[in-house]
Amino acid sequence: MVDTSSIKEHMPVVGSDGGHVGTIDHLDGQRIKLTKTDPEAGGHHHFIHIDSIASVEGGQVRLNRTTAEAKDEWATA
């Protein structure tokens, strides 16, 4: 289990392949809310469940799935 207290606003979120997924807006319960202003967001807030987080290190959140998998799975509500 990841220590969610180490997740901060504006941290980059990257896939297991190192690709950019988004930027943290804030933690919303058991989900990360990504900023809608990130170039990858298409003007929408996206959500990623915290079960998708592999680690929080080096100032970024690394997921346990690839960038493409994360984008396939993210929710907009």
Side-chain angles (χ1 to χ4, degrees), residues 7-76:
I7 297 172
K8 306 295 182 208
E9 287 183 21
H10 308 298
M11 289 177 94
V13 179
V14 297
S16 58
D17 55 356
H20 181 77
V21 174
T23 303
I24 301 285
D25 187 72
H26 66 271
L27 202 57
D28 183 19
Q30 294 294 300
R31 305 182 303 171
I32 297 170
K33 183 176 185 179
L34 300 177
T35 61
K36 65 181 179 182
T37 55
D38 188 274
E40 296 296 318
H44 299 281
H45 286 290
H46 294 280
F47 295 88
I48 297 175
H49 197 274
I50 60 171
D51 286 349
S52 300
I53 301 171
S55 64
V56 181
E57 60 189 7
Q60 66 183 11
V61 175
R62 183 170 292 274
L63 303 178
N64 58 16
R65 50 201 16 86
T66 66
T67 305
E69 287 169 338
K71 290 179 180 180
D72 282 347
E73 294 172 7
W74 65 15
T76 54

